[in-house]
Amino acid sequence: MKKIYRACNLCEAICGLEIQYDEEKNEILSIKGDSNDPLSRGHICPKGASIADIYYDPNRLKKPIRKLKNGTWQEIDWEEAISYTKENIKSLQDKFGHDSIGIYLGNPNVHNYGSQLYGSRFIKSLKTKNIFSATSVDQLPHHFASYFMLGHPNLLPIPDIDRTHYFLILGANPLASNGSLMTAPNIRERLKAIKERGKVVVLDPRKTETAEFASEHYFIYPESDIFFLLNFLRYIYVHKAIRLNHLQDLIKENIINEIEKILSMFPNLENLTEKFTKISQQNLNNIYKEFLDAPNAVLYGRIGVSTQRFGAISLWLIYLINILTGNFDQVGGMMFTSPAIDLIGKVEKRNLYKRYYSSVTNTPEFMGEFPVSILADEILTDHPQSIKGMIVIAGNPVLSTPNGNQLRKAFQKLEFFVSIDFYKNETNQYANIILPPTSPLEHEHYDITFLTLAVRNYAKFSEAVFPKQKDSRDDWEIFSQLMDQKRTIHPQELLNQMLKNGPYKLSLEELKKHPHGIDLGSLKPNLKERISELVLFPSIFVEGLKEISKNMHSFFGLNHHLALIGRRELRSNNSWMHNIPRLIKGEERCKVWIHPEDAQKMGIKENQFIKIKSTNGEIEIAAHITDKIMPGVISIPHGYGHRVIDDISWINAKNLTSNASINDLTDNHRVDLICFNAAFNGTPVQILV
Ligand SMILES: Nc1nc2c(c(=O)[nH]1)N[C@H]1C(S)=C(S)[C@@H](COP(=O)(O)OP(=O)(O)OC[C@H]3O[C@@H](n4cnc5c(=O)[nH]c(N)nc54)[C@H](O)[C@@H]3O)O[C@H]1N2
Ligand SMILES: Nc1nc2c(c(=O)[nH]1)N[C@H]1C(S)=C(S)[C@@H](COP(=O)(O)OP(=O)(O)OC[C@H]3O[C@@H](n4cnc5c(=O)[nH]c(N)nc54)[C@H](O)[C@@H]3O)O[C@H]1N2
Ligand code: SF4
Ligand SMILES: [Mo]
């Protein structure tokens, strides 16, 4: 029997696991939380406890499969699969140019160190500009705010939740999601500690698990957050509460002038805020006052604010409010990590925006990517420079990006489509070939991204649990072979170099001696070592506000429709892991939540299947009637819609009865005003009973 300690790489919490494993029988005996992990301290969730079920899943692909002319799939060997893929990519690029190949990188890429270390090399080798990823259905507004204010899109501030006295959460549900852009395992304990020394306050159109656990929760109407934030700015201004502290000399702008310019765009802001957010002025002013009065405080916004039309502006205002109230780069506020692998160091400003535009829709790039909302249009339109072939790596955009049905059509039109994935999902069912990499426990791991976003500095290397099966490939090996590399450097070697070059001069050998991880201390102010200028009022955001102020009624005038929002459930993971029996057992979770008043008006009963319609499509789904959702708002989790007619390998997922994709309703042309991130939240819909 072997005992192995490793990080769970299924979500951003990166919990330490203690895995007991019988080598002779190749069998997992138990999976528990590792109580000696300095960050997660024994925490584990149902997904982490089932991580080995992915390895054992009989529906997981282990060999490359190629689609035959009659539509059936055939297993082929790796050599043939790699050369078939390379030939097809080359032939399209020879005929139509490098940009004829598009790439979509899904979320699990950032949870896989081999993919991270080799993915960018592979992508570069293809010389295409058509790069898309889950970033633009997720955290793109955060990168925008960081780029325009701090000079680097990846310099992301993290809420210092272990020391804050007032945690104000806008549109995040860490008790279900386990935290995002905030690697904070065991979030319940951490929130409980905040409640003991201060307050946790949640603004969300749904009374979420986090909202129920918080000190206070207020329903806020979808997409009205910018008013909550602008009104907060007004409050700070009126109460002369600006405290720049040590950041003063990084700022060149005349702050009072800039704030006055913004406030003049929104006369009557207090009333507008009450009207749009549906939170009373008294409650609003209380929140603002308590935030300012707390010894330290942090304002944090995630998916609820980032995936809406005003996401980039909201994130900018969130950073701005933390800065103006002295809660930026300060203990208990938004802070920056000092990770063992520091990919940013001292920021050197580089232009990363509008260097080129997409061929069909003329959309600007940012950080070398286009927003995925344009992908279907870039494929479907008859245009000489349209995308003709796709490479989808660890993603399922048919379920995870807006207007999934249109993307289905687009993927069926492609001349060549390769996917790197260990499942056949709703997207790669249309591929010509699927190359399956090893599953999580079959390869070693280091969280390059999430150790950069952790609420405490620490480092941890995880060994593989299962021995590598004969003739299997890790993601990085597939990339390497597709690139035709003459000499391959093992990712462990690259990692070792990065650790040695890092601020703590660690090494792989050192990390291997500490299987529970090495604690590198709490977060320390370090912004002044990283940047030389802090821009508080980038014109791109101020101009955006001007546009909103001029078109207020077209943006906020749809209240006669229901506003659709999403939902994450603890036992789910975006579009996958719905095939794991112990995670999907019990009450079905893919239901539409609807307030009793709305249900009554339309005569809807609990569990009744109802039709929901938007400008893009229609779905049928079971109703759950609850006052945990705001009147006028309905909520559907994303990542479902595993249809029986689809050619997918998720046999159990297909059998869920209430099983519809929210992204058959969302609109690919409904995007963030500034950065073109998908604007899922607040999609107007109607119910047809
Ligand atoms: N309406 C709505 N839509 C949303 C969201 C929302 O809140 N509302 N959230 C959005 C967000 S935040 C995200 S991140 C996206 C996620 O969207 P995507 O990234 O497009 O989809 P996932 O479901 O994460 O894709 C998982 C696929 O990766 C494969 N996979 C897992 N691990 C590995 C691996 O190590 N290697 C390889 N090669 N494949 C692997 C799985 O088998 C699965 O097929 O969804 C977005 N979509
Ligand atoms: N169990 C589970 N965990 C996950 C995932 C998963 O699919 N399942 N996905 C992972 C991924 S990829 C990510 S990015 C993270 C995301 O992590 P979180 O951001 O914490 O995720 P959500 O639970 O979607 O929280 C968003 C909240 O915003 C609210 N909301 C919707 N619209 C608005 C609005 O207009 N304004 C405000 N203020 N709130 C609004 C929703 O009701 C919801 O409660 O979770 C990760 N963890
Ligand atoms: S919270 Fe996330 S990292 Fe922790 S066990 Fe669950 S899925 Fe794994
Ligand atoms: Mo995400």
Side-chain angles (χ1 to χ4, degrees), residues 104-108 112 115 134 137-138 302-303 307 393-397 399-401 420-423 425 437-438 443 475 566 568 573-576 638 650 662-663 666 680:
Y104 174 81
L105 298 157
N107 168 278
N112 180 322
S115 305
V137 284
D138 187 346
R302 257 319 261 131
I303 286 292
T307 57
I393 308 168
N396 192 4
L399 292 194
S400 58
T401 70
I420 302 178
D421 202 305
F422 45 66
Y423 282 113
N425 64 28
T438 49
H443 52 78
D475 283 88
R568 280 177 163 75
N573 198 9
N574 296 319
S575 77
W576 67 300
H638 75 285
W650 290 325
I662 184 177
N663 288 323
T666 54
F680 298 122

Side-chain angles (χ1 to χ4, degrees), residues 104 372 375 392 395-404 407 411 425 427 663:
Y104 174 81
V372 70
L375 178 56
V392 174
N396 192 4
V398 162
L399 292 194
S400 58
T401 70
N403 200 355
L407 209 51
F411 281 120
N425 64 28
T427 302
N663 288 323

Side-chain angles (χ1 to χ4, degrees), residues 7-17 43-49 51 177-178 185-186 570 573:
C8 171
N9 68 331
L10 293 173
C11 90
E12 297 181 42
I14 63 172
C15 299
L17 303 178
H43 182 255
I44 186 167
C45 84
K47 275 183 295 185
I51 189 170
S177 70
N178 285 300
N186 209 347
L570 183 63
N573 198 9

Side-chain angles (χ1 to χ4, degrees), residues 285-317:
N285 289 334
N286 263 341
I287 300 171
Y288 302 149
K289 180 173 187 314
E290 287 186 0
F291 188 96
L292 293 179
D293 288 349
N296 52 31
V298 65
L299 170 57
Y300 162 78
R302 257 319 261 131
I303 286 292
V305 279
S306 70
T307 57
Q308 52 156 286
R309 288 173 300 170
F310 317 109
I313 293 186
S314 298
L315 262 301
W316 158 58
L317 289 169

Side-chain angles (χ1 to χ4, degrees), residues 427-645:
T427 302
N428 64 17
Q429 64 172 320
Y430 304 116
N432 300 89
I433 183 160
I434 304 177
L435 309 174
T438 49
S439 64
L441 298 184
E442 293 174 273
H443 52 78
E444 74 284 0
H445 182 62
Y446 182 92
D447 276 290
I448 296 177
T449 299
F450 301 107
L451 289 171
T452 304
L453 303 174
V455 297
R456 206 176 158 82
N457 296 313
Y458 107 125
K460 174 170 181 151
F461 179 76
S462 303
E463 298 280 8
V465 176
F466 295 110
K468 192 125 175 239
Q469 301 292 297
K470 195 174 142 274
D471 211 21
S472 69
R473 306 276 192 286
D474 291 342
D475 283 88
W476 73 270
E477 290 174 297
I478 300 174
F479 296 145
S480 170
Q481 290 176 0
L482 288 174
M483 272 188 284
D484 231 349
Q485 282 207 323
K486 298 282 170 289
R487 199 175 77 85
T488 48
I489 308 172
H490 196 281
Q492 289 200 35
E493 230 178 282
L494 295 172
L495 180 71
N496 190 32
Q497 267 319 316
M498 290 162 96
L499 288 165
K500 284 184 170 170
N501 294 338
Y504 306 92
K505 311 276 175 243
L506 289 171
S507 67
L508 196 54
E509 199 189 338
E510 187 63 24
L511 286 188
K512 285 184 177 178
K513 283 188 210 149
H514 297 87
H516 304 289
I518 300 178
D519 187 17
L520 301 169
S522 47
L523 305 184
K524 291 178 189 61
N526 65 12
L527 192 58
K528 290 178 91 169
E529 293 154 33
R530 292 188 178 275
I531 65 170
S532 48
E533 190 185 355
L534 182 55
V535 184
L536 298 190
F537 301 91
S539 58
I540 188 165
F541 302 123
V542 179
E543 289 302 311
L545 273 183
K546 208 183 276 171
E547 199 184 323
I548 293 170
S549 71
K550 283 195 212 138
N551 299 298
M552 200 109 74
H553 290 288
S554 69
F555 284 126
F556 299 97
L558 273 176
N559 285 3
H560 55 283
H561 282 82
L562 289 165
L564 174 64
I565 60 166
R567 188 167 79 244
R568 280 177 163 75
E569 308 267 359
L570 183 63
R571 304 170 79 88
S572 171
N573 198 9
N574 296 319
S575 77
W576 67 300
M577 295 191 74
H578 299 153
N579 206 49
I580 308 290
R582 65 170 132 175
L583 288 177
I584 52 167
K585 70 173 187 223
E587 179 80 11
E588 285 205 7
R589 298 171 184 91
C590 178
K591 291 186 179 175
V592 56
W593 283 24
I594 180 163
H595 190 272
E597 279 171 25
D598 293 319
Q600 201 189 2
K601 264 189 250 162
M602 288 174 270
I604 297 167
K605 302 272 177 307
E606 180 72 14
N607 275 329
Q608 180 183 338
F609 273 77
I610 57 175
K611 279 193 178 142
I612 304 176
K613 188 177 169 349
S614 72
T615 47
N616 282 310
E618 206 178 285
I619 62 166
E620 218 172 313
I621 184 169
H624 172 55
I625 300 165
T626 169
D627 60 5
K628 288 185 186 169
I629 186 96
M630 238 178 143
V633 181
I634 61 170
S635 160
I636 300 175
H638 75 285
Y640 290 87
H642 309 291
R643 306 184 311 183
V644 177
I645 54 165

